[in-house]
Amino acid sequence: MREALIHDDGLDLLRPRSHAELWMTNVLDDARHLRCPSSISFATFRMSVDLAMITQHDLVGGRRLFDGLVLAATGCRVADVLEPILSSTTPLLRLEFVPCSSAAIPGGLEIERLELYRLDASPCDNDLASRASPPIYFYFFVVIISFSLNDSSRSTTFVLNKEASRDYCGLYVFNKWLEHRICSSSMDADSRRLLLDNEAPFKQAIPFISFFSFCVSRELQECSNLDDLQWTRSIRPFRLELAESVSRQQFNGNKLRLASLEQRPPFVIFERSNGTITGFKGYCYEIIHALQKIYNFTYEVEQPSDNTYGTEMPNGSWNGMIGMITEHVVDIGVGPFSVTHSRSKAIDFSVAFYEEPTAILIPPPAEDNRLLACIKPFRLEVWLSLILFAIFLPIILWKDLTCVWKIYQKAAPVTQNGNSIEKLCQEKRPALAKQYFFILGVLIGQSGQKLSSIGFSPRFIGAFWCLSAVVFASAYVGILFGFLSFPRLSPIICKLEELPGSKLEWGVHRGTALETLFTEATTGVYKTIGEGLLKPGALVDVNADGIQRVTNGSYAFIKEKSYLEFAVDEDYARLGTCRLSIAKQEFFKVNFAFALPTASPLKQLLDKKILQLIETGLGEYWKKIHWPPLSRKCDDIKRSEGPKSLSLTDLQGAFLILALGSGMASVIFVAERFITRFI
């Protein structure tokens, strides 16, 4: 039989040090030896880490994951929130180390509480506060039970030390709960009848043992030998504040009127079947459904006629959902309401449940233009340096060769050969054009280029130019090959400041806080964006229209990032290609909260429970459910693996150079023909 022990961060069962932690480990070890039809095993969960497994305990594959749940908490708030969420047909026992309220659970489900704090025999409460590490101790009892079962005689002897402590009584009652709630559920009818038949002699000898009407509190009271007055005084006064009590009355058994906008994933999603709304889900409605389990209320959802969150009108009134709230048409506005100063003057907000940045949805990154691919490998400063070298190095080399040639001409010996004088130096006078051909030929890798054989310094310059040209040419060819084979994808824009200078138009959803943010701005880029929103058709009435405009190209849709992530992931899942992307830089982070009428009696309790839900880790769990997975295909569009075959588009720069060269050669040819005809 499989049980689940759920504990908060106040108990460390992996490295027990405190008295309560050591007591818990001994309780679990003792429970494993309990005689049931099958052995009992415990799976241990921490509320802040294993929340997904905890909240999905009910049914998997048609059967329950656990036969019973044990909730151990050193504080009240987290346990109070999880208790009604975990309540189901599965038996649930709550171990209380501190006194907490005993709120009624909707649906009449009974959740048993083992109130260990009522017994003061061991320093458990102080130990939880101080996190001290005293040695674990258990009081020793002499328990002698001897009985014989036959048709004629039954006898029982039970001797119990009167100094029963919380350690023993807690252990005893915990095991009795397992026997009655867990073990008995797996017994057959004959075993249960035998258990009931043997109840009478046990009741006579041991009054505080009851198989007929087992009650955790009564068993603990009778084990500790406390009368009713002592039992009542063993708890510190604990009462609800008046405002909280009133708020509970507003919830309990009543129908709340909610306002929501359809299809605002991942916060609000309307479920439809054949065009009819069948349910509501999303991050916001996870909160509503958790509160519904706690406070036993129903709700109905209304949508604003203008399909907006609400903006302030010239006469001071509000439209959209905020208008419905100010006019008390609804009790709560459920959705990602941005908390802004202007809105807070008209309505109240609950405590924020999420912080959201704003982002820009744009067309996907495009490949760089290949027309000028031939100049991409080098930056401008490299090209300028090479051009300067190509212009001035031939002149320097020509001057050097000329000087050396003159020196050799003067120093060459002269001999008589008949009537002619022959110089040993047969080199012709260096020509400047030949030096240009040499420098450029070496640079572009043309073989057969020769340098004059006279003088050491010209040949030294030529040798080092050849070495440098090899480096330049290799770097150019390598980078050009990589650029053509593995094209780089460049985003259209990376941040909001680049949007006005791009070729994109932009827009936001009408009636949102973003519209107010931009249209009311007086300086900076926000003002520029706001002026663009004043153009006809810039605002969209439905988010889907903004998404569609982006897919059509030349449009940017400004929206909260969570919605844009959802839209990108949904579009890719539907078509299998990336038609959308999100600009890298975020801006305008804002808190999301529920909207309430001013001075609403629901606000205080709503704030408290939302904070408790977030503290338990439910917020992160719900985010994992409703947000797109982290491994989205279009987050970062990468280059394809391996080189690709080059197309005409990839080599259009080379063909452009060839066309320009052919054109210039044709012009020169015509000019030469024209000149030679008239000369």
Side-chain angles (χ1 to χ4, degrees):
M1 307 186 74
R2 184 171 172 81
E3 316 300 314
L5 173 65
I6 306 163
H7 64 90
D8 61 10
D9 293 335
L11 293 173
D12 186 357
L13 302 184
L14 296 178
R15 294 179 295 275
R17 297 185 302 273
S18 70
H19 184 86
E21 293 166 350
L22 293 168
W23 179 82
M24 283 295 306
T25 56
N26 279 273
V27 166
L28 297 179
D29 184 67
D30 187 76
R32 294 186 179 96
H33 302 289
L34 189 66
R35 292 183 178 180
C36 276
S38 60
S39 61
I40 294 179
S41 63
F42 275 90
T44 305
F45 303 98
R46 286 179 60 186
M47 299 177 188
S48 60
V49 177
D50 305 305
L51 196 61
M53 190 65 178
I54 296 171
T55 54
Q56 296 176 350
H57 73 277
D58 287 338
L59 290 174
V60 173
R63 60 182 296 273
R64 292 186 304 203
L65 279 177
F66 304 107
D67 299 293
L69 303 175
V70 179
L71 179 61
T74 58
C76 296
R77 290 199 303 174
V78 176
D80 288 344
V81 172
L82 282 181
E83 190 178 57
I85 296 176
L86 296 173
S87 61
S88 65
T89 56
T90 305
L92 173 62
L93 176 66
R94 174 169 168 177
L95 305 181
E96 289 191 340
F97 295 97
V98 293
C100 300
S101 63
S102 300
I105 304 302
L109 296 173
E110 180 183 0
I111 298 178
E112 298 171 287
R113 299 189 178 191
L114 185 55
E115 301 163 318
L116 299 170
Y117 60 85
R118 290 183 181 273
L119 304 181
D120 298 323
S122 63
C124 188
D125 290 340
N126 294 334
D127 183 61
L128 283 171
S130 62
R131 302 296 295 173
S133 302
I136 184 66
Y137 64 90
F138 284 90
Y139 292 100
F140 293 95
F141 299 89
V142 181
V143 181
I144 305 173
I145 301 178
S146 63
F147 57 92
S148 61
L149 299 177
N150 50 49
D151 295 337
S152 59
S153 65
R154 291 175 183 170
S155 63
T156 304
T157 304
F158 188 92
V159 181
L160 179 61
N161 192 318
K162 292 183 180 180
E163 298 180 20
S165 69
R166 168 164 45 192
D167 294 328
Y168 173 75
C169 288
L171 173 64
Y172 166 76
V173 177
F174 183 81
N175 286 339
K176 298 305 294 182
W177 181 83
L178 290 175
E179 290 178 358
H180 280 263
R181 300 293 186 249
I182 307 302
C183 296
S184 62
S185 64
S186 61
M187 293 180 181
D188 55 25
D190 294 335
S191 299
R192 289 197 189 94
R193 185 164 51 253
L194 180 62
L195 186 63
L196 295 175
D197 290 342
N198 285 278
E199 169 66 13
F202 276 89
K203 280 292 293 181
Q204 294 174 3
I206 313 171
F208 59 82
I209 299 180
S210 174
F211 287 96
F212 286 109
S213 57
F214 176 76
C215 177
V216 169
S217 296
R218 185 174 65 251
E219 294 290 338
L220 187 64
Q221 178 183 353
E222 293 178 346
C223 176
S224 60
N225 292 324
L226 296 177
D227 57 30
D228 291 341
L229 180 60
Q230 292 172 322
W231 182 259
T232 303
R233 290 178 176 177
S234 65
I235 181 173
R236 297 191 300 271
F238 194 91
R239 60 182 178 84
L240 288 172
E241 296 180 1
L242 179 60
E244 183 172 335
S245 178
V246 173
S247 297
R248 285 179 180 270
Q249 296 176 6
Q250 295 284 333
F251 276 119
N252 189 30
N254 293 329
K255 177 181 285 187
L256 296 182
R257 301 165 301 170
L258 310 180
S260 286
L261 280 181
E262 185 173 4
Q263 297 304 319
R264 176 51 182 92
F267 290 96
V268 175
I269 301 173
F270 287 19
E271 295 180 302
R272 289 182 175 271
S273 177
N274 298 325
T276 303
I277 299 176
T278 59
F280 307 91
K281 65 179 183 179
Y283 189 97
C284 291
Y285 277 93
E286 293 285 2
I287 298 176
I288 295 297
H289 294 157
L291 294 174
Q292 191 178 23
K293 289 185 178 181
I294 299 173
Y295 296 121
N296 189 30
F297 63 86
T298 59
Y299 64 85
E300 60 181 6
V301 178
E302 298 184 19
Q303 301 182 61
S305 58
D306 56 1
N307 198 41
T308 64
Y309 283 89
T311 54
E312 189 173 6
M313 308 296 288
N315 60 2
S317 63
W318 289 75
N319 61 7
M321 286 193 290
I322 296 181
M324 299 172 67
I325 295 169
T326 57
E327 296 172 4
H328 296 275
V329 176
V330 295
D331 300 308
I332 305 176
V334 178
F337 282 84
S338 300
V339 180
T340 62
H341 175 67
S342 59
R343 289 178 173 180
S344 64
K345 292 187 293 184
I347 58 174
D348 283 345
F349 287 102
S350 69
V351 65
F353 55 79
Y354 195 79
E355 184 185 51
E356 177 83 312
T358 305
I360 309 173
L361 188 69
I362 56 177
E367 294 185 3
D368 286 346
N369 191 346
R370 304 302 179 84
L371 183 62
L372 301 178
C374 56
I375 66 172
K376 294 291 185 180
F378 292 157
R379 293 181 180 272
L380 178 61
E381 58 269 22
V382 178
W383 283 116
L384 291 177
S385 301
L386 288 176
I387 292 173
L388 290 176
F389 269 103
I391 293 175
F392 292 104
L393 189 57
I395 298 175
I396 295 173
L397 187 59
W398 174 66
K399 287 290 186 181
D400 191 9
L401 282 172
T402 302
C403 293
V404 172
W405 181 83
K406 290 180 179 180
I407 293 173
Y408 271 74
Q409 285 288 336
K410 293 179 180 180
V414 179
T415 59
Q416 294 289 337
N417 184 13
N419 296 323
S420 64
I421 299 176
E422 180 182 2
K423 292 190 176 180
L424 295 179
C425 180
Q426 299 294 329
E427 288 286 341
K428 295 181 180 180
R429 186 180 184 89
L432 179 60
K434 188 176 180 179
Q435 313 314 315
Y436 273 105
F437 281 118
F438 170 77
I439 296 297
L440 294 176
V442 171
L443 184 61
I444 63 177
Q446 293 294 321
S447 60
Q449 303 299 324
K450 295 182 179 180
L451 191 62
S452 177
S453 60
I454 61 173
F456 179 76
S457 60
R459 284 178 287 175
F460 189 79
I461 295 175
F464 274 89
W465 172 248
C466 292
L467 180 62
S468 301
V470 170
V471 176
F472 291 142
S474 300
Y476 179 84
V477 171
I479 297 175
L480 181 62
F481 174 79
F483 180 80
L484 295 176
S485 301
F486 304 93
R488 185 177 62 182
L489 303 178
S490 300
I492 299 175
I493 60 171
C494 293
K495 53 185 178 180
L496 183 67
E497 287 75 8
E498 297 175 358
L499 184 57
S502 68
K503 297 180 180 180
L504 299 177
E505 297 179 353
W506 57 87
V508 300
H509 189 186
R510 189 190 308 275
T512 60
L514 290 174
E515 179 189 1
T516 305
L517 171 71
F518 293 125
T519 56
E520 295 183 357
T522 57
T523 58
V525 66
Y526 283 11
K527 179 183 178 181
T528 305
I529 299 297
E531 292 172 350
L533 296 179
L534 299 178
K535 299 177 181 178
L539 300 176
V540 297
D541 296 318
V542 182
N543 288 326
D545 290 344
I547 304 300
Q548 185 60 42
R549 292 188 186 183
V550 177
T551 59
N552 294 337
S554 300
Y555 187 80
F557 186 50
I558 305 173
K559 189 69 177 174
E560 293 84 6
K561 187 176 182 180
S562 62
Y563 178 79
L564 300 184
E565 290 176 338
F566 192 92
V568 172
D569 187 78
E570 186 181 55
D571 187 74
Y572 179 83
R574 186 174 68 254
L575 301 176
T577 183
C578 294
R579 303 190 304 165
L580 304 169
S581 65
I582 299 175
K584 184 177 181 180
Q585 190 177 87
E586 304 166 354
F587 64 98
F588 186 56
K589 287 189 176 182
V590 66
N591 289 323
F592 284 165
F594 292 152
L596 300 162
T598 303
S600 171
L602 303 177
K603 175 176 169 51
Q604 183 173 353
L605 193 57
L606 197 62
D607 288 351
K608 178 181 178 181
K609 292 305 176 183
I610 289 176
L611 284 175
Q612 290 175 351
L613 291 169
I614 301 303
E615 287 177 0
T616 60
L618 281 168
E620 288 300 317
Y621 170 62
W622 293 332
K623 186 176 179 180
K624 291 179 181 178
I625 294 177
H626 298 290
W627 261 248
L630 294 178
S631 57
R632 293 184 298 273
K633 300 293 185 181
C634 298
D635 272 351
D636 183 19
I637 304 177
K638 299 180 180 179
R639 301 171 183 174
S640 58
E641 297 182 359
K644 70 170 187 176
S645 299
L646 301 182
S647 63
L648 287 176
T649 304
D650 298 324
L651 298 175
Q652 58 183 309
F655 284 104
L656 176 63
I657 294 175
L658 181 60
L660 289 176
S662 300
M664 293 178 62
S666 300
V667 172
I668 294 173
F669 173 75
V670 173
E672 288 179 340
R673 294 281 295 177
F674 180 79
I675 293 173
T676 55
R677 179 176 298 180
F678 293 97
I679 295 179

